[in-house]
Amino acid sequence: MRASTSLRGAGRAVLALLAVAAVGAVWTAYKAVGGATGGTWPGTSRALPVRPDDATLPPFLTILTRFGEPQRTGDPHPLWQYLVDAALFTFREAFVGFVAGVVIGMLLAMLMLGSRWVERAVLPWVVVSQTVPLIALAPVVMAWGNRMRLPFATWEPWMSVSVIATYLTFFPVAVNGLRGLTSPSTLSMELMRSYAAPSRATLVKLRLPSAVPYLIPALKLAATASVVGAIVGEISAGLRGGLGRLIIDYAQQYLTDPQRLYCAVLAAGLLGIACVGLVDVLDWALMRHRPREAT
């Protein structure tokens, strides 16, 4: 089991490296073709969708090497160190939002499980909640947070960002959680009734284990959504310390150093991949003792 898991992990790492190499090859080829044709499609006069100059598309290897260079001239610390610190700051916000979103999503799923009428009343509003643009909701959440007073703690700005991450996180958990909780077969439910099992025992011993294969994909979506929500919240609030603020700062200085912005975007993508990887670890821990036919 451990050997197969290690081989699977090594295979994913190799595929990830191959994907990066493929992106770099396409990037470089696009710049080469665009430079040779003057920014037009080969054999035509139609302009390419993205200008192939170094200001718009810096050389791919230059972007990668920029991680090891100082953030600014004279700075003793490399750029990757700032990005790691910012990613950890954003990860805290995303993690809190992820946990809160999972709890809220599962509570909503169990609430809708109890009654078909409740499901019909609540589920449409859960869906409608995701139609509100996040960029419009973020300033409202930040304004509420600035005026919030807690009895035993101080409301910090990063907590408002976590609320924004929660908003994106709870939806997939609620929908897939409801589907998973209703997935046990009629025969299994009748068996629990024949044992006179109470609703709580049925939930813990049958419904929740049956919901795990449905929840894992939802948790992966929620993990990436929490990172997106945290970064958008930082950008909307102008909160310093995270990747969102670095993206704003580097975008404002794009013409003088475009590679930094690409590095910040890559760091955000790597943070999302790391969060999904943590869910994969949870998936392995929950599913390794389950029979193959149960998955």
Side-chain angles (χ1 to χ4, degrees), residues 204-229:
V204 174
K205 296 182 179 297
L206 177 60
R207 291 190 183 275
L208 285 177
S210 299
V212 170
Y214 296 86
L215 283 174
I216 293 300
L219 293 180
K220 292 181 180 181
L221 289 175
T224 55
S226 66
V227 175
V228 172

Side-chain angles (χ1 to χ4, degrees), residues 106-118:
M106 286 305 299
L107 289 177
L108 287 173
M110 289 186 287
L111 178 65
M112 291 184 287
L113 177 68
S115 170
R116 180 61 61 87
W117 292 102
V118 174

Side-chain angles (χ1 to χ4, degrees), residues 27-85:
W27 187 292
T28 304
Y30 183 91
K31 283 179 61 64
V33 172
T37 61
T40 61
W41 289 99
T44 69
S45 59
R46 298 181 59 184
L48 291 170
V50 180
R51 297 175 60 182
D53 57 86
D54 289 345
T56 305
L57 293 177
F60 191 75
L61 291 178
T62 304
I63 296 175
L64 297 181
T65 56
R66 185 66 180 86
F67 281 100
E69 299 174 357
Q71 182 185 14
R72 295 182 179 87
T73 303
D75 193 329
H77 303 292
L79 177 62
W80 68 263
Q81 185 172 339
Y82 288 94
L83 292 175
V84 168
D85 293 340

Side-chain angles (χ1 to χ4, degrees), residues 125-139:
W125 291 104
V126 172
V127 176
V128 168
S129 69
Q130 300 303 298
T131 63
V132 180
L134 187 62
I135 195 67
L137 183 65

Side-chain angles (χ1 to χ4, degrees), residues 235-275:
I235 293 175
S236 301
L239 183 64
R240 292 190 175 275
L243 288 174
R245 186 62 192 186
L246 284 185
I247 290 175
I248 292 178
D249 292 341
Y250 295 164
Q252 293 173 346
Q253 304 166 14
Y254 180 83
L255 293 179
T256 60
D257 193 354
Q259 292 87 349
R260 285 193 307 178
L261 179 60
Y262 284 99
C263 289
V265 173
L266 284 174
L270 291 174
L271 177 60
I273 293 174
C275 291

